[in-house]
Amino acid sequence: MPTSRIAVTGSSGLIGAALVRSLRADGHEVARLVRRPARSGDEVEWDPKRGYVDVAGLVGCDAVVHLAGAGVGDRRWTDAYKREIRDSRVLGTAAIAEAVASLDTPPQVLLSGSAIGFYGDTGDRAVDETAPPGAGFLPSVCEEWEAATAAAEERGIRTVHARTGLVVAREGGAWGRLFPLFKAGLGGRMGNGRQYWSFIALHDHVAALRHILDTESLTGPVNLTGPDPVTNAEVTAAMGRVLRRPTLFTAPAPALRIALGEFAGDVLGSQRVIPGQLLDSGFSFAFPGIDAAIRAALR
């Protein structure tokens, strides 16, 4: 993409912050959407709960990347927090989609976040973007989340749903919690360890987002996962190899259910997700294997 103006929500999060750094390093102008009055020229105010976006701040944007949403694993899943998980995604996405659709000259692309939680528990079965949604809370949230971009799609804006897997990074996300445990020699498999984890290195995730922005043929759901999903037991072994630590501990399924409540079902669930659209579009992963992804996170 030539030097462009790109708006980003969720710019303070793990992925959003890395994307903003990458875009600015290449000379792009980034407008960050913030949930308070704008304090600088690169900020645009919005309030996803009220459905408010300062539309004037989006004028001249060639692309909008929408990554904001409450963390799925940040708290125990009470009914109130499940509503926050859902509303932060669905209401926020609808507000962004309606804002970009209202512009006289809308952006060329709306790249909106989603998650591989769309597929539910796939067991040993490999799935790509053609697979139907699974059953349960997260699949239902993902369906509503993606449907909330309708206003942008109806306006004719190229709309992509980035179904993100487990991002391997020290700074946050699931791996941000794993690294301290494994470094202390307290890491181990979860449950029976046979469940698939569809991971992606943070570097590759940002590169894939940039690839989507640049590739006009990509539309609809795009899985942002590495090409070779591995089991939790294989992740555990790789963490031990790379960090040179023992991995003797095990978190039994009943203990996880007590500690995590309903969310434990997703931790113990298996998602063997293939990035079909990325591979078909010629995207090249820099860190396709689990050992390489872990080493990249430690740089």
Side-chain angles (χ1 to χ4, degrees):
M1 177 181 286
T3 301
S4 305
R5 175 175 166 82
I6 301 171
V8 180
T9 76
S11 63
S12 62
L14 172 67
I15 297 168
L19 175 63
V20 169
R21 288 194 299 270
S22 174
L23 290 169
R24 286 179 169 166
D26 285 342
H28 296 287
E29 179 186 353
V30 178
R32 299 179 299 110
L33 276 76
V34 295
R35 299 174 192 180
R36 52 169 173 72
R39 297 173 184 165
S40 61
D42 71 337
E43 294 183 343
V44 177
E45 183 182 358
W46 80 309
D47 185 336
K49 290 184 178 180
R50 290 195 295 116
Y52 169 75
V53 180
D54 181 4
V55 178
L58 301 181
V59 171
C61 284
D62 301 284
V64 174
V65 183
H66 173 47
L67 301 174
V72 170
D74 288 359
R75 302 181 199 169
R76 193 177 182 87
W77 282 8
T78 62
D79 288 344
Y81 194 61
K82 286 168 71 174
R83 282 195 300 274
E84 184 173 345
I85 289 172
R86 183 262 180 200
D87 289 351
S88 68
R89 286 161 172 75
V90 177
L91 300 181
T93 300
I96 292 296
E98 290 164 9
V100 298
S102 73
L103 293 168
D104 291 338
T105 304
Q108 298 168 21
V109 56
L110 169 61
L111 173 49
S112 185
S114 185
I116 61 171
F118 176 92
Y119 303 106
D121 190 338
T122 72
D124 292 338
R125 177 174 55 95
V127 297
D128 63 12
E129 292 89 348
T130 63
F137 172 65
L138 285 183
S140 68
V141 168
C142 289
E143 280 194 274
E144 287 190 83
W145 190 3
E146 295 184 7
T149 61
E153 295 175 65
E154 291 167 4
R155 181 67 197 278
I157 299 167
R158 179 168 69 95
T159 303
V160 181
H161 306 289
R163 292 179 180 167
T164 296
L166 296 171
V167 179
V168 186
R170 283 184 302 174
E171 302 90 339
W175 248 273
R177 298 182 181 92
L178 290 179
F179 273 117
L181 288 173
F182 277 86
K183 284 182 177 181
L186 300 175
R189 63 179 172 82
M190 297 182 182
N192 61 27
R194 293 194 293 270
Q195 68 272 31
Y196 275 89
W197 280 20
S198 295
F199 69 92
I200 184 169
L202 178 60
H203 173 94
D204 282 334
H205 193 290
V206 171
L209 292 174
R210 299 283 305 269
H211 176 76
I212 291 169
L213 292 177
D214 290 341
T215 306
E216 294 182 5
S217 62
L218 285 173
T219 188
V222 177
N223 293 334
L224 267 64
T225 61
D228 298 307
V230 293
T231 65
N232 173 256
E234 291 172 311
V235 168
T236 299
M239 291 286 279
R241 282 194 302 271
V242 175
L243 296 174
R244 299 181 182 179
R245 294 290 188 274
T247 56
L248 303 177
F249 289 84
T250 300
L256 285 171
R257 292 189 177 97
I258 292 172
L260 302 177
E262 186 179 349
F263 181 51
D266 291 89
V267 172
L268 296 167
S270 181
Q271 293 185 314
R272 191 177 182 182
V273 179
I274 305 301
Q277 285 239 64
L278 281 180
L279 294 173
D280 290 347
S281 67
F283 180 76
S284 179
F285 289 87
F287 306 102
I290 185 61
D291 289 58
I294 294 169
R295 290 192 180 96
L298 295 171
R299 291 180 177 175

Short mmCIF file of all heavy atoms in Angstrom, two decimals, residues 6 15-28 30 202-203 205-210:
data_model
loop_
_atom_site.label_atom_id
_atom_site.label_comp_id
_atom_site.label_asym_id
_atom_site.label_seq_id
_atom_site.Cartn_x
_atom_site.Cartn_y
_atom_site.Cartn_z
N ILE A 6 -4.26 5.62 7.91
CA ILE A 6 -4.93 4.41 8.39
C ILE A 6 -5.40 4.64 9.82
O ILE A 6 -4.61 5.05 10.68
CB ILE A 6 -3.98 3.20 8.33
CG1 ILE A 6 -3.51 2.98 6.89
CG2 ILE A 6 -4.67 1.94 8.86
CD1 ILE A 6 -2.40 1.95 6.74
N ILE A 15 -1.63 -6.46 19.82
CA ILE A 15 -1.54 -6.48 18.35
C ILE A 15 -1.61 -5.07 17.79
O ILE A 15 -0.84 -4.71 16.89
CB ILE A 15 -2.66 -7.35 17.77
CG1 ILE A 15 -2.49 -8.81 18.24
CG2 ILE A 15 -2.66 -7.28 16.25
CD1 ILE A 15 -3.70 -9.68 17.96
N GLY A 16 -2.52 -4.24 18.32
CA GLY A 16 -2.68 -2.89 17.81
C GLY A 16 -1.43 -2.05 17.94
O GLY A 16 -1.05 -1.33 17.01
N ALA A 17 -0.77 -2.15 19.09
CA ALA A 17 0.46 -1.37 19.30
C ALA A 17 1.55 -1.79 18.32
O ALA A 17 2.28 -0.96 17.77
CB ALA A 17 0.93 -1.52 20.74
N ALA A 18 1.66 -3.11 18.11
CA ALA A 18 2.68 -3.61 17.18
C ALA A 18 2.37 -3.19 15.75
O ALA A 18 3.27 -2.85 14.97
CB ALA A 18 2.77 -5.14 17.28
N LEU A 19 1.09 -3.19 15.39
CA LEU A 19 0.70 -2.77 14.04
C LEU A 19 0.99 -1.29 13.83
O LEU A 19 1.51 -0.90 12.78
CB LEU A 19 -0.78 -3.05 13.82
CG LEU A 19 -1.35 -2.55 12.49
CD1 LEU A 19 -0.69 -3.25 11.31
CD2 LEU A 19 -2.88 -2.74 12.45
N VAL A 20 0.66 -0.46 14.82
CA VAL A 20 0.91 0.99 14.70
C VAL A 20 2.41 1.24 14.51
O VAL A 20 2.81 2.05 13.66
CB VAL A 20 0.36 1.74 15.92
CG1 VAL A 20 0.86 3.19 15.94
CG2 VAL A 20 -1.16 1.71 15.92
N ARG A 21 3.24 0.56 15.29
CA ARG A 21 4.70 0.74 15.13
C ARG A 21 5.14 0.36 13.72
O ARG A 21 5.95 1.07 13.09
CB ARG A 21 5.45 -0.12 16.15
CG ARG A 21 5.37 0.37 17.59
CD ARG A 21 6.39 -0.33 18.46
NE ARG A 21 6.20 -1.77 18.52
CZ ARG A 21 5.44 -2.40 19.42
NH1 ARG A 21 4.77 -1.70 20.33
NH2 ARG A 21 5.33 -3.72 19.42
N SER A 22 4.62 -0.73 13.21
CA SER A 22 5.00 -1.20 11.87
C SER A 22 4.56 -0.21 10.79
O SER A 22 5.33 0.11 9.87
CB SER A 22 4.37 -2.58 11.62
OG SER A 22 4.58 -3.01 10.30
N LEU A 23 3.33 0.27 10.89
CA LEU A 23 2.83 1.21 9.88
C LEU A 23 3.61 2.52 9.90
O LEU A 23 4.00 3.04 8.84
CB LEU A 23 1.35 1.49 10.15
CG LEU A 23 0.37 0.34 9.87
CD1 LEU A 23 -1.01 0.67 10.42
CD2 LEU A 23 0.29 0.03 8.38
N ARG A 24 3.86 3.04 11.09
CA ARG A 24 4.59 4.30 11.18
C ARG A 24 6.03 4.16 10.71
O ARG A 24 6.59 5.10 10.12
CB ARG A 24 4.53 4.83 12.62
CG ARG A 24 3.15 5.40 12.96
CD ARG A 24 3.08 5.90 14.37
NE ARG A 24 1.85 6.68 14.59
CZ ARG A 24 1.37 7.01 15.78
NH1 ARG A 24 2.03 6.64 16.89
NH2 ARG A 24 0.25 7.70 15.89
N ALA A 25 6.62 3.01 10.97
CA ALA A 25 8.00 2.79 10.53
C ALA A 25 8.12 2.86 9.01
O ALA A 25 9.17 3.21 8.48
CB ALA A 25 8.50 1.44 11.04
N ASP A 26 7.03 2.54 8.32
CA ASP A 26 7.02 2.59 6.86
C ASP A 26 6.44 3.88 6.32
O ASP A 26 6.13 3.98 5.13
CB ASP A 26 6.24 1.39 6.30
CG ASP A 26 7.02 0.10 6.42
OD1 ASP A 26 8.26 0.17 6.60
OD2 ASP A 26 6.42 -0.99 6.33
N GLY A 27 6.24 4.87 7.19
CA GLY A 27 5.83 6.19 6.74
C GLY A 27 4.34 6.43 6.63
O GLY A 27 3.92 7.49 6.16
N HIS A 28 3.52 5.49 7.08
CA HIS A 28 2.08 5.70 7.03
C HIS A 28 1.63 6.62 8.16
O HIS A 28 2.22 6.62 9.25
CB HIS A 28 1.34 4.36 7.15
CG HIS A 28 1.60 3.42 6.01
ND1 HIS A 28 1.06 3.62 4.76
CD2 HIS A 28 2.36 2.29 5.94
CE1 HIS A 28 1.47 2.64 3.96
NE2 HIS A 28 2.26 1.83 4.65
N VAL A 30 -0.99 7.30 10.99
CA VAL A 30 -1.92 6.49 11.77
C VAL A 30 -2.78 7.39 12.65
O VAL A 30 -2.27 8.24 13.38
CB VAL A 30 -1.18 5.47 12.65
CG1 VAL A 30 -2.17 4.67 13.50
CG2 VAL A 30 -0.35 4.52 11.77
N LEU A 202 3.70 -13.09 16.79
CA LEU A 202 3.25 -11.70 16.70
C LEU A 202 3.76 -11.04 15.43
O LEU A 202 3.03 -10.31 14.75
CB LEU A 202 3.70 -10.92 17.94
CG LEU A 202 3.33 -9.43 17.96
CD1 LEU A 202 1.83 -9.21 17.89
CD2 LEU A 202 3.91 -8.76 19.21
N HIS A 203 5.01 -11.28 15.09
CA HIS A 203 5.59 -10.72 13.86
C HIS A 203 4.76 -11.13 12.64
O HIS A 203 4.44 -10.29 11.78
CB HIS A 203 7.04 -11.19 13.69
CG HIS A 203 7.66 -10.80 12.38
ND1 HIS A 203 8.41 -9.65 12.22
CD2 HIS A 203 7.61 -11.39 11.17
CE1 HIS A 203 8.80 -9.57 10.96
NE2 HIS A 203 8.34 -10.60 10.30
N HIS A 205 1.66 -12.15 12.63
CA HIS A 205 0.31 -11.60 12.71
C HIS A 205 0.27 -10.19 12.14
O HIS A 205 -0.62 -9.85 11.34
CB HIS A 205 -0.17 -11.60 14.16
CG HIS A 205 -1.64 -11.37 14.31
ND1 HIS A 205 -2.23 -10.15 14.05
CD2 HIS A 205 -2.64 -12.20 14.67
CE1 HIS A 205 -3.52 -10.24 14.25
NE2 HIS A 205 -3.81 -11.48 14.63
N VAL A 206 1.22 -9.35 12.54
CA VAL A 206 1.27 -7.98 12.03
C VAL A 206 1.53 -7.99 10.52
O VAL A 206 0.89 -7.25 9.76
CB VAL A 206 2.35 -7.17 12.77
CG1 VAL A 206 2.56 -5.81 12.09
CG2 VAL A 206 1.95 -6.98 14.23
N ALA A 207 2.43 -8.85 10.08
CA ALA A 207 2.72 -8.95 8.64
C ALA A 207 1.47 -9.39 7.87
O ALA A 207 1.22 -8.93 6.76
CB ALA A 207 3.87 -9.92 8.40
N ALA A 208 0.69 -10.30 8.48
CA ALA A 208 -0.53 -10.77 7.82
C ALA A 208 -1.57 -9.65 7.73
O ALA A 208 -2.27 -9.51 6.71
CB ALA A 208 -1.11 -11.96 8.57
N LEU A 209 -1.69 -8.84 8.78
CA LEU A 209 -2.61 -7.70 8.71
C LEU A 209 -2.18 -6.74 7.59
O LEU A 209 -3.03 -6.25 6.83
CB LEU A 209 -2.63 -6.96 10.05
CG LEU A 209 -3.25 -7.70 11.24
CD1 LEU A 209 -3.06 -6.88 12.52
CD2 LEU A 209 -4.73 -7.97 11.01
N ARG A 210 -0.89 -6.48 7.50
CA ARG A 210 -0.38 -5.60 6.42
C ARG A 210 -0.66 -6.24 5.06
O ARG A 210 -1.04 -5.53 4.10
CB ARG A 210 1.13 -5.38 6.61
CG ARG A 210 1.55 -4.70 7.91
CD ARG A 210 1.30 -3.19 7.86
NE ARG A 210 1.91 -2.55 6.72
CZ ARG A 210 3.15 -2.02 6.73
NH1 ARG A 210 3.87 -2.04 7.86
NH2 ARG A 210 3.64 -1.43 5.67
#
